[in-house]
Amino acid sequence: MRIKRSVDIEDVIRTALNEHITAYCRPLPKEYRLPNILVTQVGGADRNNIDSFEVVLDARAKTEETASLTLRNAIGILKEIAAEQSTAIRYITVNTNGSWDFDPVRPDLALCTARIRVTAHMENVEVN
Protein backbone atom coordinates (compact mmCIF):
# COMPACT_ATOMS: atom_id res chain seq x y z
CA MET A 1 0.00 0.00 0.00
CA ARG A 2 1.27 3.53 -0.80
CA ILE A 3 0.76 6.18 1.84
CA LYS A 4 1.71 9.77 2.51
CA ARG A 5 3.37 10.45 5.84
CA SER A 6 5.16 13.25 7.61
CA VAL A 7 8.90 13.45 7.21
CA ASP A 8 11.16 13.18 10.24
CA ILE A 9 11.61 16.95 10.30
CA GLU A 10 14.21 16.89 13.05
CA ASP A 11 16.42 14.62 10.97
CA VAL A 12 15.75 16.56 7.75
CA ILE A 13 16.85 19.80 9.46
CA ARG A 14 19.82 18.16 11.19
CA THR A 15 21.04 16.70 7.90
CA ALA A 16 20.61 20.01 6.07
CA LEU A 17 22.43 22.01 8.74
CA ASN A 18 25.27 19.51 9.20
CA GLU A 19 26.70 20.51 5.84
CA HIS A 20 27.51 23.91 7.43
CA ILE A 21 27.02 23.77 11.22
CA THR A 22 27.26 20.93 13.73
CA ALA A 23 23.66 19.94 14.47
CA TYR A 24 22.09 17.28 16.68
CA CYS A 25 18.67 15.84 17.45
CA ARG A 26 17.64 14.81 20.95
CA PRO A 27 19.10 13.44 23.01
CA LEU A 28 22.16 15.67 22.90
CA PRO A 29 25.15 13.32 23.08
CA LYS A 30 27.32 13.35 26.22
CA GLU A 31 30.23 14.66 24.19
CA TYR A 32 29.52 17.21 21.49
CA ARG A 33 31.26 19.82 19.37
CA LEU A 34 30.81 23.54 19.94
CA PRO A 35 29.22 25.58 18.60
CA ASN A 36 26.19 23.47 17.73
CA ILE A 37 22.46 23.49 17.12
CA LEU A 38 20.02 21.14 18.85
CA VAL A 39 16.88 20.57 16.75
CA THR A 40 13.66 19.67 18.61
CA GLN A 41 10.19 19.31 17.12
CA VAL A 42 7.67 20.64 19.64
CA GLY A 43 4.42 20.46 17.68
CA GLY A 44 2.80 20.89 14.33
CA ALA A 45 -0.22 20.20 12.16
CA ASP A 46 -1.04 18.90 8.72
CA ARG A 47 -3.35 20.03 5.98
CA ASN A 48 -3.77 18.01 2.80
CA ASN A 49 -0.23 17.04 1.73
CA ILE A 50 1.56 19.80 3.63
CA ASP A 51 2.89 19.69 7.18
CA SER A 52 3.59 22.66 9.39
CA PHE A 53 6.08 21.80 12.13
CA GLU A 54 6.95 23.84 15.21
CA VAL A 55 10.66 23.45 15.85
CA VAL A 56 12.99 24.83 18.51
CA LEU A 57 16.61 25.52 17.60
CA ASP A 58 19.01 25.75 20.55
CA ALA A 59 22.46 27.13 19.79
CA ARG A 60 25.19 26.27 22.30
CA ALA A 61 28.60 27.91 22.28
CA LYS A 62 31.36 29.11 24.56
CA THR A 63 30.31 32.75 24.16
CA GLU A 64 26.99 34.55 23.72
CA GLU A 65 28.27 36.16 20.52
CA THR A 66 29.06 32.78 18.97
CA ALA A 67 25.76 31.24 20.11
CA SER A 68 23.82 34.12 18.56
CA LEU A 69 25.81 33.96 15.32
CA THR A 70 25.37 30.18 15.09
CA LEU A 71 21.61 30.49 15.58
CA ARG A 72 21.23 33.29 13.04
CA ASN A 73 23.36 31.34 10.52
CA ALA A 74 21.25 28.21 11.04
CA ILE A 75 18.04 30.11 10.34
CA GLY A 76 19.60 31.72 7.26
CA ILE A 77 20.76 28.33 5.97
CA LEU A 78 17.29 26.84 6.45
CA LYS A 79 15.67 29.77 4.63
CA GLU A 80 18.07 29.32 1.73
CA ILE A 81 17.39 25.57 1.60
CA ALA A 82 13.66 26.31 1.52
CA ALA A 83 14.17 28.77 -1.33
CA GLU A 84 16.20 26.19 -3.28
CA GLN A 85 13.46 23.54 -2.78
CA SER A 86 16.27 20.95 -2.47
CA THR A 87 14.72 19.02 0.44
CA ALA A 88 11.21 18.44 1.81
CA ILE A 89 11.48 21.88 3.47
CA ARG A 90 9.43 24.46 1.59
CA TYR A 91 9.16 27.48 3.88
CA ILE A 92 10.60 28.78 7.15
CA THR A 93 8.90 31.30 9.44
CA VAL A 94 10.64 32.62 12.54
CA ASN A 95 8.10 32.68 15.36
CA THR A 96 10.52 33.73 18.10
CA ASN A 97 13.87 35.33 17.34
CA GLY A 98 16.91 34.37 19.35
CA SER A 99 16.44 34.69 23.08
CA TRP A 100 18.88 33.91 25.87
CA ASP A 101 18.51 30.99 28.17
CA PHE A 102 20.81 28.93 30.33
CA ASP A 103 21.83 25.34 29.91
CA PRO A 104 20.89 23.56 33.14
CA VAL A 105 23.43 20.82 32.49
CA ARG A 106 26.25 23.08 31.30
CA PRO A 107 25.81 26.53 32.90
CA ASP A 108 29.28 27.43 31.58
CA LEU A 109 27.88 27.56 28.02
CA ALA A 110 25.91 30.27 26.27
CA LEU A 111 22.50 29.14 24.96
CA CYS A 112 20.47 31.08 22.40
CA THR A 113 17.06 29.73 21.34
CA ALA A 114 14.62 30.40 18.51
CA ARG A 115 11.29 28.86 17.58
CA ILE A 116 10.53 28.39 13.89
CA ARG A 117 7.67 27.03 11.80
CA VAL A 118 8.78 24.72 9.02
CA THR A 119 6.44 23.98 6.13
CA ALA A 120 7.29 20.70 4.43
CA HIS A 121 5.84 18.26 1.93
CA MET A 122 4.83 14.81 3.11
CA GLU A 123 6.67 11.83 1.69
CA ASN A 124 5.17 9.00 -0.35
CA VAL A 125 6.16 5.56 0.89
CA GLU A 126 5.25 1.93 0.41
CA VAL A 127 4.18 0.01 3.52
CA ASN A 128 3.37 -3.68 3.90
Side-chain angles (χ1 to χ4, degrees):
M1 168 189 297
R2 277 200 75 67
I3 64 167
K4 289 184 181 279
R5 69 178 182 200
S6 298
V7 296
D8 180 348
I9 198 63
E10 289 180 341
D11 195 53
V12 169
I13 292 171
R14 181 196 58 77
T15 300
L17 288 177
N18 265 334
E19 292 185 27
H20 310 280
I21 296 171
T22 301
Y24 301 102
C25 296
R26 285 184 182 238
L28 190 63
K30 276 187 168 185
E31 294 185 28
Y32 48 81
R33 291 180 50 196
L34 292 174
N36 68 57
I37 295 286
L38 178 64
V39 181
T40 307
Q41 179 185 344
V42 294
D46 65 37
R47 183 171 183 188
N48 299 327
N49 296 322
I50 304 293
D51 282 322
S52 178
F53 298 99
E54 295 293 323
V55 176
V56 171
L57 301 177
D58 291 319
R60 285 176 173 78
K62 291 182 180 180
T63 67
E64 290 181 353
E65 179 181 49
T66 303
S68 175
L69 178 63
T70 301
L71 181 62
R72 290 181 287 124
N73 283 346
I75 293 169
I77 290 165
L78 292 173
K79 286 183 176 184
E80 185 60 29
I81 287 168
E84 292 172 357
Q85 304 283 299
S86 58
T87 68
I89 298 170
R90 292 298 178 253
Y91 195 74
I92 302 292
T93 304
V94 178
N95 293 341
T96 307
N97 280 320
S99 60
W100 295 110
D101 202 353
F102 71 95
D103 188 330
V105 177
R106 292 280 311 269
D108 58 312
L109 297 180
L111 180 66
C112 192
T113 299
R115 188 178 189 122
I116 62 174
R117 179 176 297 123
V118 181
T119 302
H121 282 287
M122 291 181 172
E123 61 187 357
N124 293 305
V125 296
E126 189 74 29
V127 296
N128 296 329

